Amino acid sequence: MVWDPKNALGHNDYGSFERQRQGSSTEPEDDGHGHGHGQAQGPLRGLQALPLSPLHSSHPHPHAAASTSSMSDTDLIQRQPLLPLPAKNGHHITVEYEEDVDDHSEDDGRAGGKANGIVKINIPKTEREEQRYPKEKWKTLIGKYTFLCLVFSFIMATASLSLVHERVPDRETYGPLPDIFFEFLPQVDWALDVSEIIIMVSSNVTFLIMLFHKHRFIVFRRMFLIVALLYLMRSVTMYVTVLPMSSTTYYCSPKANVTTPWLLTTRVWQLMSGFGLSINGKHTYCGDFIFSGHTVFLTICYLFINEYSPDSPKRIFQLLSWISCISSSIAVFFVLLARGHYTIDVIIAYFVTTRTFWIYHTLANNASLKKPGSHNYLARAWWFPIFRYFEENVGVKVPRQHEWPLPWPRRFLHKPPNRNS
């Protein structure tokens, strides 16, 4: 069988086939009636056998006769060069032509090859310019979700303190435990007020950074859940081991020597209305030592400012991060100076807070770690199912993008708010 290219005689787009008789040459003999002995009848009549060149050229190939004579009907494969496809959206589509060697196929007449033509088209993957970050407001504010988890943890911590207050050792009988910090520095009562003023300023700055964050609902949800976890753990450690008072001058309310539901409720309300601070005069119950709630808040505020503050202007927000770190350290120092906590309370609070924050964000920023398995030991944390529920739709790290949080005034909006971000 031989091939008649389409541009030679103007036939259909794919040319024509011609069957050769065995022992005949490529030049047909005239039988006297104008027909060659080796020509096929019908539509292929009168076609001359010509070799196929890669560019459909009419110039004969020197090895055409040998190639065509050795081909069978099933071995002949038309090969045409694939034209380059036009660029689309700035990406070029690459077309490759692969020849796979088939051990069971016959030789196609070409040097070194048995052909099984496969066309491979490499199309570049299209990527989204921006990752979607679902707000999921209902997970942040409604029902059994993070905000109520935070409120519940505060209630548990204050209820634990209300019960511990009745078990605190008598200050006249048991003095403060030996502490290396207390041995070198004297007690300064006003230092606790300075520490709590720094806590209030740092909390407000952290709130503003989270409020102006583009993905504020995700950030608020993380803050609520991390603080809730810390205060739930604190309510347990504070209750199981009660230490003697570290301060000899701090005012403690008289003990009731009886615990009733009404008494517990009134104490919880009093403590929560004062946000757990002694500067407003409502934190008059003692025994909340292991671990330090002041250190928890100061550390978590610094970590969130450092993690979620804007990238630009870079120097300003780097300075803000350093100021937050230094002020938090000073506030912790003042807590110890006022004998508000033992040194062990501060050390435990720092380690528990930083490790919880880092583990949480490591899990949140890696999609593979959100699936429990033998490879993921972080999934053995007791709060992993809660974390997985709140972070299941956030696949990557939240970028440091900020925007005006209100729909007015419009001059502060660079673009219409993205309701799906």
Side-chain angles (χ1 to χ4, degrees):
M1 175 179 290
V2 293
W3 175 254
D4 180 19
K6 62 181 180 179
N7 60 349
L9 297 175
H11 290 286
N12 58 44
D13 291 341
Y14 300 98
S16 305
F17 289 98
E18 177 183 355
R19 184 181 301 278
Q20 296 279 343
R21 293 182 179 180
Q22 293 182 356
S24 62
S25 63
T26 58
E27 294 293 335
E29 298 179 359
D30 193 352
D31 62 355
H33 298 285
H35 303 292
H37 294 292
Q39 290 178 336
Q41 301 298 321
L44 304 180
R45 182 181 303 168
L47 300 182
Q48 182 180 4
L50 293 177
L52 175 64
S53 65
L55 299 178
H56 303 293
S57 173
S58 61
H59 300 288
H61 195 277
H63 302 288
S67 300
T68 56
S69 61
S70 62
M71 292 184 183
S72 63
D73 292 349
T74 59
D75 293 332
L76 184 61
I77 300 175
Q78 178 185 3
R79 299 185 178 276
Q80 298 181 1
L82 297 176
L83 298 177
L85 299 180
K88 183 177 181 181
N89 296 331
H91 299 283
H92 292 279
I93 299 177
T94 304
V95 180
E96 297 179 0
Y97 192 88
E98 296 185 354
E99 295 180 357
D100 296 339
V101 177
D102 187 0
D103 294 337
H104 302 286
S105 63
E106 298 180 0
D107 195 335
D108 62 353
R110 293 177 300 131
K114 296 178 175 63
N116 182 15
I118 298 176
V119 177
K120 180 180 179 182
I121 302 177
N122 295 327
I123 301 177
K125 297 181 180 180
T126 58
E127 298 181 357
R128 295 178 58 92
E129 295 181 357
E130 183 179 356
Q131 178 75 23
R132 290 191 63 187
Y133 300 90
K135 293 181 180 180
E136 298 180 305
K137 301 178 183 179
W138 51 281
K139 284 187 178 181
T140 307
L141 301 174
I142 304 175
K144 58 182 180 180
Y145 305 111
T146 52
F147 182 73
L148 289 188
C149 285
L150 178 64
V151 174
F152 175 76
S153 68
F154 281 151
I155 293 175
M156 291 296 296
T158 52
S160 179
L161 176 57
S162 301
L163 297 174
V164 166
H165 177 75
E166 299 295 327
R167 301 168 53 203
V168 174
D170 188 2
R171 188 160 27 190
E172 297 180 357
T173 306
Y174 300 95
L177 295 175
D179 191 289
I180 190 66
F181 190 92
F182 298 170
E183 293 178 4
F184 291 96
L185 295 174
Q187 180 175 341
V188 180
D189 293 335
W190 54 264
L192 186 61
D193 293 342
V194 175
S195 175
E196 294 184 346
I197 291 173
I198 295 176
I199 288 177
M200 290 188 288
V201 173
S202 185
S203 300
N204 289 325
V205 172
T206 307
F207 174 79
L208 290 176
I209 287 178
M210 294 192 301
L211 180 64
F212 281 86
H213 200 284
K214 181 178 180 180
H215 309 291
R216 61 188 66 89
F217 288 97
I218 297 176
V219 180
F220 273 112
R221 188 162 66 238
R222 291 178 175 180
M223 167 65 87
F224 293 161
L225 185 54
I226 291 175
V227 175
L229 294 174
L230 292 171
Y231 268 77
L232 283 175
M233 290 186 284
R234 183 172 181 262
S235 64
V236 175
T237 57
M238 181 171 53
Y239 182 79
V240 295
T241 302
V242 183
L243 303 181
M245 287 297 298
S246 57
S247 173
T248 57
T249 59
Y250 189 85
Y251 174 76
C252 296
S253 298
K255 296 181 180 181
N257 296 323
V258 63
T259 302
T260 62
W262 175 251
L263 178 65
L264 187 64
T265 303
T266 55
R267 287 181 176 180
V268 167
W269 175 253
Q270 178 180 340
L271 290 168
M272 292 192 65
S273 62
F275 298 98
L277 300 176
S278 60
I279 195 173
N280 49 36
K282 294 186 177 182
H283 192 292
T284 58
Y285 302 105
C286 301
D288 55 337
F289 290 113
I290 300 177
F291 45 89
S292 171
H294 290 72
T295 306
V296 166
F297 251 100
L298 291 165
T299 306
I300 205 69
C301 287
Y302 161 69
L303 292 173
F304 269 83
I305 290 173
N306 185 62
E307 179 69 21
Y308 294 105
S309 58
D311 282 330
S312 61
K314 188 174 182 179
R315 291 185 178 181
I316 293 178
F317 287 102
Q318 279 185 343
L319 179 62
L320 176 63
S321 180
W322 278 105
I323 291 174
S324 175
C325 180
I326 295 172
S327 62
S328 297
S329 302
I330 293 174
V332 171
F333 176 80
F334 281 179
V335 168
L336 294 174
L337 197 62
R339 304 294 191 267
H341 282 280
Y342 290 100
T343 306
I344 188 63
D345 304 342
V346 171
I347 294 175
I348 294 176
Y350 169 78
F351 274 97
V352 172
T353 304
T354 53
R355 271 57 186 178
T356 303
F357 180 91
W358 292 335
I359 292 174
Y360 188 101
H361 283 76
T362 298
L363 292 170
N365 295 342
N366 294 275
S368 61
L369 297 179
K370 295 181 181 180
K371 299 177 181 179
S374 58
H375 69 288
N376 186 10
Y377 286 88
L378 296 178
R380 300 183 182 183
W382 65 270
W383 45 266
F384 181 79
I386 306 173
F387 155 83
R388 188 181 180 187
Y389 174 75
F390 289 118
E391 297 287 341
E392 60 184 351
N393 296 325
V394 184
V396 296
K397 183 177 180 179
V398 175
R400 298 188 179 191
Q401 299 174 353
H402 291 72
E403 64 182 8
W404 182 254
L406 301 176
W408 47 267
R410 293 185 177 274
R411 65 177 179 270
F412 292 138
L413 296 174
H414 297 288
K415 61 180 180 179
N418 186 3
R419 299 303 181 187
N420 293 325
S421 63

